[in-house]
Structures are given as C-alpha cells and as structure tokens.
Amino acid sequence: MTLNLTESKVQFLESLADRTRLRIVEALREREKTVSQLVQELGATQSNISGHLRLLKISGIIKSRQEGKYVYYSLSSSAIADFLTKLEDMLAVMRREALEGA
C-alpha cells in the first residue's frame, strides 16, 4: 500500500512527536552514535532507547550500520537536520510574532 503525501507527513510527524525520539534525533544531528552512547547521553534505559530507535528506523528517519560488534545510528538524510533547523526557525518567528501581537 502506497501512502499518499498527507499520510506520509502524518507518519513522519508522529515519529518525531515523542520527547525521547526527538531527543534521539537531535543527538544524532551531531554525529552517529551507538545505543550505549545514546543511553548515556539521554539518561534512558537501553530497552527504551532501542525501542525508539526501531520506530525511527522503520519510519525512515534514521539508518544504522554495523561495525564489528557495534551498531551505529545516524540520520538517514541531511534533510532531517534541515527540517529541524527550519522548525526551530519557524518556532522562533511564531514566538516573536506572538510577543509583538500581545
């Protein structure tokens, strides 16, 4: 079954609409990381991080590669980092406009 554009947008945004998943994506903006590195950085359990990584991978937001006994996770595209930057810019504009209108 092929997702239409609206359904694809909903799936993408739902994948990011969780605090832990968004924090994982933000952490992977910097560089690729292992589950252990993400666990340490985010202060969550390994099973929690692994579950979120699985969902992010299924949704196509992240990818993985194996090197020896380690699996490294990274953003699947630089477009993901660009999207987050644009989102931050949009939120700053909205906040500024709300303050000006108040």
Side-chain angles (χ1 to χ4, degrees):
M1 178 169 105
T2 303
L3 295 177
N4 69 33
L5 186 55
T6 299
E7 291 168 338
S8 294
K9 289 177 186 177
V10 168
Q11 183 182 37
F12 176 81
L13 293 172
E14 283 179 342
S15 296
L16 293 177
D18 176 88
R19 181 181 305 274
T20 301
R21 287 193 296 271
L22 186 56
R23 290 179 66 212
I24 289 169
V25 172
E26 291 283 355
L28 295 177
R29 244 171 133 171
E30 303 166 10
R31 63 179 171 81
E32 67 179 6
K33 296 181 180 175
T34 64
V35 173
S36 297
Q37 290 170 320
L38 290 166
V39 164
Q40 183 176 5
E41 186 173 328
L42 302 180
T45 65
Q46 183 170 344
S47 62
N48 182 272
I49 295 294
S50 293
H52 287 297
L53 287 169
R54 189 170 29 263
L55 192 148
L56 288 167
K57 192 170 178 186
I58 289 169
S59 66
I61 293 173
I62 65 169
K63 61 184 179 182
S64 64
R65 69 174 182 85
Q66 184 140 10
E67 186 176 304
K69 66 178 185 171
Y70 297 102
V71 177
Y72 289 88
Y73 293 90
S74 61
L75 297 181
S76 62
S77 169
S78 61
I80 304 293
D82 294 343
F83 170 81
L84 293 172
T85 299
K86 288 180 191 330
L87 177 62
E88 291 162 357
D89 293 345
M90 180 192 74
L91 291 171
V93 167
M94 290 173 63
R95 197 170 311 127
R96 186 176 63 246
E97 289 175 354
L99 291 174
E100 290 170 357

